[in-house]
Amino acid sequence: MKILLINTLYPPSTVGGAERSLEVLAKGLVDANCDVSVICLSGTGDATEVREGVTVHRLAHANRYWPFDGQRRRAVERLRWHGNDAMTSPRQCRIEQILAEFDPDIVHTNNLTGFGSGLIPLINKYRLPLVHTLRDFSLICSRASIFKNLQDCETRCLSCRVLTASKSASATGIDMVVGNSAYMVDRHRDFGLFQNTPSRVIFNAVPGILDERPFVADIASPAELTIGFAGAIKPEKGIEVLLEALRIAGPGPWKLQIAGKGDDEYVSTLRNSYADLPIEWLGFVPIQPFLEGLDLMVIPSIWPEPMPRTLIEAMAMRLPVLVSDAGGSPEVATMYSGAQLYERRDIDGLATLLKTAIAEPPARPVADRDALETFTVERLTANYLQAYGDTIAMKHPRKTDHA
């Protein structure tokens, strides 16, 4: 099967878990003898490369600025950027060329920020079967988060309705929608999308999640509890909830390691405000060795996170986790004996859990093997191949050979 994956970014250009998750899928499809190409955007020029069997087409973005360079822009500049993204991208001709050259059996779109509003209609023009995975809210929210002023959006504001109108309208051209959590599909339907579109839930995967090494449960209690936070350092990620909870928990044999980047001014403010706490600010680091050095992971998001990849990665390491009940997180947390849920924004509740963990470091759990298999690369690949085959059959009923 020839599969074209489309996502805003692709490793090594990585902002969050979506890119890592897509790379895992791409590699799994290659191992399943599929011919896989990727189209993504770049902050520099056009380039094509082959990464571990995946042909990656990086297209220079065509908007006013590259939104992933870490620079702060004025509100008027951001508005102009989103206004441009609501229109057909000038790179559509190059995308159409790749479509014609690769001639995929199916197209699988993901995060589409930066591609403009004409991508889905272009795929429909070629009558190509189209699967779309919801990894953010960019089809209905210009911030891709349905979260504003640190509060959930119960309705779509005027600016989002205007700036995403063309994208929302184009979503009717999607043949099958996949959520990386059930929450994602349900939330989009709450806002009126995909009412009659076939859907399914396919969780992300972590390579090696069934490896024997992490099953060891008799690790000695650490003299000093190493607590970890991984992700973008932003208010919506709940970093301040965690820091305040640790301040309440008080001194003890613990330290916090923070892996991730954020706005320089915001990070500097946090570092100054919590300079009295034993915190190591690591910046962006590879996730695997970071997790290996932890005794406890905290995922304190206050925004409705689709599905934090770090939760599944912590499960793979049999790492105890404290996780807020925001977004799709409970769907995985309830499968994992090492996870404890608490109500998002509940600083005192998190502080209580942290005090308990500091006083008596939690043991490494032995996760349920059946639950772990849900997050294997093999299961991920099989589920998507089934979704692709079903979508092709719906789009072109006379085709019986999908391989």
Side-chain angles (χ1 to χ4, degrees):
M1 184 182 292
K2 298 176 73 174
I3 303 162
L4 178 62
L5 304 174
I6 303 178
N7 192 61
T8 303
L9 299 174
Y10 191 81
S13 299
T14 303
V15 173
E19 297 79 53
R20 299 204 308 275
S21 295
L22 190 67
E23 183 181 40
V24 169
L25 173 59
K27 292 178 180 178
L29 292 170
V30 169
D31 290 342
N33 298 316
C34 297
D35 188 356
V36 182
S37 286
V38 171
I39 297 177
C40 62
L41 298 177
S42 166
T44 55
D46 286 11
T48 297
E49 61 177 324
V50 177
R51 290 175 56 86
E52 300 182 84
V54 180
T55 301
V56 183
H57 302 279
R58 302 186 191 275
L59 309 187
H61 75 96
N63 211 321
R64 302 177 66 89
Y65 57 85
W66 180 236
F68 306 107
D69 59 9
Q71 295 185 36
R72 303 181 74 182
R73 263 84 183 190
R74 295 178 302 162
V76 66
E77 289 182 285
R78 297 196 301 272
L79 180 61
R80 289 170 178 166
W81 192 97
H82 285 293
N84 286 346
D85 198 40
M87 298 184 290
T88 298
S89 170
R91 301 317 315 270
Q92 192 140 318
C93 290
R94 175 58 181 143
I95 295 171
E96 189 165 7
Q97 181 183 13
I98 294 170
L99 281 172
E101 292 173 352
F102 185 52
D103 189 23
D105 296 305
I106 193 158
V107 179
H108 176 185
T109 53
N110 297 263
N111 291 352
L112 296 178
T113 298
F115 279 105
S117 63
L119 180 61
I120 292 174
L122 174 63
I123 296 166
N124 295 158
K125 169 186 164 184
Y126 280 84
R127 299 191 69 246
L128 291 166
L130 174 57
V131 171
H132 181 80
T133 296
L134 298 168
R135 302 184 190 275
D136 68 9
F137 298 95
S138 59
L139 293 176
I140 54 177
C141 175
S142 61
R143 294 174 301 280
S145 63
I146 58 169
F147 192 75
K148 186 177 182 181
N149 299 326
L150 300 184
Q151 298 292 329
D152 288 5
C153 297
E154 297 303 326
T155 60
R156 294 171 71 198
C157 61
L158 177 61
S159 63
C160 280
R161 291 201 304 271
V162 171
L163 292 173
T164 64
S166 55
K167 294 182 179 181
S168 296
S170 72
T172 58
I174 291 169
D175 298 306
M176 178 176 289
V177 61
V178 175
N180 60 6
S181 64
Y183 174 86
M184 288 299 287
V185 177
D186 293 342
R187 196 72 170 119
H188 279 78
R189 285 179 171 160
D190 288 343
F191 284 100
L193 267 68
F194 306 119
Q195 300 299 317
N196 300 307
T197 305
S199 68
R200 59 192 63 184
V201 175
I202 303 177
F203 292 121
N204 295 327
V206 173
I209 196 168
L210 290 178
D211 287 353
E212 292 299 322
R213 178 183 59 81
F215 275 101
V216 178
D218 56 353
I219 299 175
S221 296
E224 178 183 65
L225 187 74
T226 301
I227 304 166
F229 169 94
I233 303 176
K234 299 178 178 180
E236 57 266 34
K237 285 289 190 176
I239 182 66
E240 293 176 61
V241 172
L242 173 58
L243 295 175
E244 282 297 315
L246 283 169
R247 177 164 280 165
I248 292 172
W254 63 268
K255 66 179 178 181
L256 173 66
Q257 293 185 336
I258 297 177
K261 293 184 177 181
D263 176 76
D264 290 342
E265 184 177 335
Y266 179 63
V267 173
S268 179
T269 298
L270 291 179
R271 296 185 69 152
N272 291 333
S273 298
Y274 297 95
D276 57 310
L277 299 182
I279 302 173
E280 297 176 6
W281 301 82
L282 304 179
F284 187 82
V285 296
I287 190 67
Q288 185 71 17
F290 172 71
L291 293 176
E292 288 175 352
L294 301 181
D295 303 304
L296 176 69
M297 186 75 177
V298 182
I299 304 174
S301 295
I302 62 173
W303 79 287
E305 195 150 7
M307 174 52 64
R309 182 174 178 80
T310 49
L311 175 55
I312 303 172
E313 289 170 328
M315 182 191 292
M317 295 299 300
R318 316 305 185 264
L319 185 64
V321 186
L322 305 180
V323 56
S324 80
D325 62 359
S329 297
E331 295 174 42
V332 170
T334 53
M335 298 183 195
Y336 180 40
S337 63
Q340 286 184 277
L341 281 164
Y342 70 93
E343 187 176 349
R344 62 172 172 166
R345 303 180 190 274
D346 185 357
I347 295 174
D348 290 334
L350 178 56
T352 298
L353 293 175
L354 287 167
K355 284 180 182 179
T356 300
I358 293 168
E360 186 175 349
R364 297 263 175 159
V366 178
D368 180 88
R369 191 175 183 88
D370 288 340
L372 294 176
E373 286 181 346
T374 303
F375 308 100
T376 62
V377 177
E378 292 76 16
R379 179 67 63 85
L380 173 80
T381 304
N383 285 346
Y384 268 108
L385 286 174
Q386 183 67 55
Y388 298 157
D390 291 347
T391 304
I392 292 171
M394 288 189 298
K395 191 80 169 183
H396 303 298
R398 294 183 180 180
K399 288 190 176 181
T400 57
D401 182 6
H402 309 318

